[in-house]
Amino acid sequence: MLTRIDHIGIACFDLDKTVDFYRATYGFEVFHTEVNEEQGVREAMLRINGTDDGGGSYLQLLEPVREDSAVGKWLAKNGEGVHHIAFGTADVDADSEDIRSRGVRVLYDEPRRGSMDSRITFLHPKDCHGVLTELVTAAASPTSGNSSATTSH
């Protein structure tokens, strides 16, 4: 069962400048950063609040590190803005299979490792009214800080 909005992914051309905007405008601070070589992005997670299920709600700012990445191609076509929405779940495997059984295309056969050691998968935007949707199971105890791991967002 989906339990919360885990994060909203925002594609940007300049991660540092975008972080500065969210810090100066809303007072949000960076909770975690990492480079995702597989997805071709540099990201910053800005924590908005904690939730009853032990997870949090975040803004995920995504800057492509190469033009041929999915986010790089998306930025070239659409410009900066909301890239995807992610819903938290206690069991990404079970929920993605349940959603798949309802006729929605799940983009990964098996969930992958995501930010802060989470487990993630994506749902096809054409099956979700134009919205790229991510399902996220948070790690047992997400850690803040910087990382240069090869992960998925």
Side-chain angles (χ1 to χ4, degrees):
M1 175 196 312
L2 304 181
T3 58
R4 62 190 158 82
I5 294 175
D6 183 86
H7 66 271
I8 297 171
I10 299 172
C12 61
F13 291 111
D14 184 328
L15 185 67
D16 297 326
K17 183 177 176 182
T18 307
V19 165
D20 288 345
F21 168 81
Y22 281 97
R23 180 180 288 128
T25 305
Y26 306 114
F28 298 154
E29 292 297 330
V30 173
F31 181 77
H32 178 84
T33 62
E34 64 184 72
V35 173
N36 174 336
E37 294 295 339
E38 179 184 355
Q39 298 290 326
V41 296
R42 185 168 74 108
E43 70 174 79
M45 296 293 272
L46 286 66
R47 187 171 184 159
I48 308 307
N49 68 330
T51 61
D52 291 343
D53 68 358
S57 293
Y58 303 88
L59 287 180
Q60 180 186 47
L61 306 179
L62 301 160
E63 174 191 48
V65 295
R66 53 179 206 272
E67 291 179 16
D68 69 338
S69 69
V71 172
K73 292 175 185 176
W74 190 90
L75 270 170
K77 181 179 177 182
N78 301 293
E80 292 185 308
V82 174
H83 179 262
H84 67 275
I85 187 167
F87 295 108
T89 172
D91 188 344
V92 68
D93 297 273
D95 284 339
S96 63
E97 286 306 313
D98 179 56
I99 290 169
R100 179 180 277 131
S101 76
R102 298 167 193 255
V104 175
R105 287 174 281 180
V106 178
L107 298 183
Y108 302 152
D109 290 332
E110 297 289 328
R112 298 181 181 180
R113 182 179 175 274
S115 298
M116 301 182 292
D117 292 324
S118 63
R119 297 192 69 241
I120 60 110
T121 196
F122 286 90
L123 309 178
H124 200 291
K126 288 185 178 179
D127 297 342
C128 300
H129 297 272
V131 178
L132 179 61
T133 303
E134 183 178 4
L135 304 180
V136 179
T137 297
S141 57
T143 58
S144 66
N146 295 331
S147 171
S148 294
T150 300
T151 63
S152 298
H153 62 271

